[in-house]
Amino acid sequence: MQLIAFDFDGTLSEGEMIVELATEVGHRSQISEITQKGMRGEISFGESLNLRTGLLKGLSEENAGRVYQNTFLRPGMGELLENLKEKNIKIAIITGGFLEGVERALENSDTSVDWIVANDLMVEKGHLTGEVRGELIHKSKREALDKICTMAKIPIEQVVAIGDGANDIPMLERAGFSIGFRPKMIVKEYCDVVVDTVGELRDLLAEKNIL
């Protein structure tokens, strides 16, 4: 295997970045409910994202920045990413979450990846507008993965995809090997293997001679 494509929220990171942002504007429960509907596949990811980001309208850029600063990888994930890089494995993060938070989480763990495909929340006059832009609003994670593989000249058969939610299904189906990290029920049938901890993931990658 040459490339591992990770989801971020719920996979590399324990929490959901957008839920933490929603807490700042008093809409945590509403956004959590919409997030779970999207993760279960009850509504499309694009619809889910637009509904949720709309509730963030008015949040100050300063408060959003504080949330990003407190975004972290799961314990042990930073070390795992570094170990993969030592084995010359390329790493991509393909997420419907937000670039600034992903970048800050990687900085907090003193690590980096080769590609990040994420969305951006729009800001005007120091506050979120409730609008979002990015490749993964109207396109699937499969398309994002294919684009990376084309650029890097990596056969899709030599790609591992790791995710947990319904919007991860296109890349899990596409990759040569798919791993569910505590996946939602609807996602499990698209996974070759399911793991529940970073330790289990590390052991699996070692068993597959990736680590």
Side-chain angles (χ1 to χ4, degrees), residues 104-116:
R104 183 52 63 98
L106 292 171
E107 289 174 11
N108 287 338
S109 292
D110 195 26
T111 190
S112 61
V113 300
D114 298 283
W115 298 279
I116 301 173

Side-chain angles (χ1 to χ4, degrees), residues 53-54 56-59 121-124 127-132:
T53 57
L56 299 178
K57 183 177 181 179
L59 176 63
L121 291 169
M122 298 295 92
V123 177
E124 186 175 296
H127 293 80
L128 301 190
T129 66
E131 298 176 330
V132 60

Side-chain angles (χ1 to χ4, degrees), residues 10 14 74 163-165 180-184 188 194-198:
E14 291 181 352
R74 289 180 183 275
D164 71 311
F181 194 101
R182 299 182 185 176
K184 302 296 184 289
K188 288 185 177 181
V194 169
V195 298
D196 291 319
T197 67
V198 176

Side-chain angles (χ1 to χ4, degrees), residues 35-172:
T35 297
Q36 290 307 310
K37 285 183 177 180
M39 294 289 279
R40 294 192 299 263
E42 295 173 12
I43 58 177
S44 72
F45 177 75
E47 181 182 0
S48 167
L49 184 63
N50 284 321
L51 286 171
R52 290 178 293 164
T53 57
L55 291 171
L56 299 178
K57 183 177 181 179
L59 176 63
S60 73
E61 190 174 15
E62 179 181 357
N63 287 348
R66 185 165 58 246
V67 170
Y68 297 142
Q69 289 172 3
N70 290 307
T71 302
F72 297 91
L73 302 182
R74 289 180 183 275
M77 277 295 192
E79 182 182 359
L80 177 62
L81 295 181
E82 286 299 299
N83 293 158
L84 288 168
K85 290 193 292 184
E86 289 168 5
K87 295 290 186 178
N88 295 316
I89 301 295
K90 299 295 185 182
I91 302 169
I93 296 175
I94 302 177
T95 176
F98 309 118
L99 179 62
E100 191 171 344
V102 174
E103 291 179 333
R104 183 52 63 98
L106 292 171
E107 289 174 11
N108 287 338
S109 292
D110 195 26
T111 190
S112 61
V113 300
D114 298 283
W115 298 279
I116 301 173
V117 181
N119 293 320
D120 288 297
L121 291 169
M122 298 295 92
V123 177
E124 186 175 296
K125 297 181 180 178
H127 293 80
L128 301 190
T129 66
E131 298 176 330
V132 60
R133 69 180 179 192
E135 288 187 45
L136 292 175
I137 300 172
H138 302 296
K139 293 183 178 180
S140 74
K141 291 192 176 187
R142 172 179 177 143
E143 292 171 283
L145 181 58
D146 281 341
K147 184 177 179 179
I148 290 171
C149 288
T150 298
M151 288 190 300
K153 298 181 180 179
I154 295 174
I156 197 67
E157 295 79 12
Q158 295 177 16
V159 175
V160 178
I162 306 176
D164 71 311
N167 69 319
D168 295 316
I169 290 174
M171 76 172 182
L172 292 169

